[in-house]
Amino acid sequence: MSTNYNDYSINDIDSSNENHGKFRLRFVDVLIFIVCLVAAFIFWCYALYVDDPVIEKTVIVNFILENANEGDKLSKSSAKIVVYGEQSLITQTRNINVTIDRAQFDLYNQDTVITFELPDNYHSETNEVVLQLTNPSNK
């Protein structure tokens, strides 16, 4: 009785390993790699576009007086405030212009609390400022 369970010879085993030992880079493999790389980049850009984080930044708010009489000026032309917004919008912002109507002031040289609104996509906990309306001819 034969106890040999292996019917393969040494030559058969060596010839089967020769095909797996060599790695050939084919054009199709390179093309699939490039397509996957481009797809990953597109998904990454989409994820950054959809998930724009909200950040805070200190910016200068410039006050512009509207409907003013001749010689009317504000006591402060600007103030620093902390604003919140999407990173893609806030990082490039240094100044925000806010218009203030002359009708909000009752008297000259008197402290007046002015409520202002920031442009869309800008948010702040501070939306009030104390200003004075001055006019050199009305003292």
Side-chain angles (χ1 to χ4, degrees):
M1 216 160 123
S2 173
T3 59
N4 187 3
Y5 295 106
N6 194 354
D7 291 335
Y8 297 109
S9 68
I10 292 176
N11 291 336
D12 291 336
I13 294 172
D14 288 339
S15 66
S16 66
N17 287 337
E18 288 177 11
N19 293 337
H20 298 293
K22 294 181 181 177
F23 176 74
R24 290 184 4 184
L25 193 61
R26 294 181 298 180
F27 176 73
V28 175
D29 294 335
V30 172
L31 186 63
I32 290 173
F33 176 75
I34 292 173
V35 168
C36 290
L37 195 63
V38 168
F41 180 73
I42 290 171
F43 286 134
W44 178 68
C45 289
Y46 178 73
L48 286 180
Y49 176 76
V50 170
D51 189 31
D52 197 4
V54 174
I55 63 168
E56 72 176 49
K57 183 178 180 183
T58 302
V59 297
I60 297 173
V61 176
N62 298 318
F63 302 113
I64 301 170
L65 187 61
E66 237 181 25
N67 302 324
N69 298 330
E70 186 177 335
D72 285 351
K73 292 183 181 179
L74 295 173
S75 59
K76 289 194 299 187
S77 62
S78 63
K80 288 185 178 182
I81 64 168
V82 176
V83 295
Y84 303 91
E86 294 177 352
Q87 182 178 5
S88 59
L89 178 70
I90 298 291
T91 55
Q92 299 174 359
T93 303
R94 296 194 194 290
N95 298 325
I96 298 174
N97 294 329
V98 173
T99 57
I100 296 176
D101 194 9
R102 163 66 176 90
Q104 291 181 324
F105 296 96
D106 294 330
L107 300 171
Y108 288 103
N109 301 322
Q110 181 180 359
D111 286 344
T112 307
V113 177
I114 303 296
T115 303
F116 61 89
E117 290 186 25
L118 294 172
D120 292 341
N121 300 322
Y122 293 96
H123 308 283
S124 177
E125 294 175 2
T126 306
N127 63 347
E128 292 181 344
V129 66
V130 177
L131 294 175
Q132 287 184 1
L133 181 65
T134 61
N135 191 329
S137 63
N138 291 334
K139 286 197 174 194

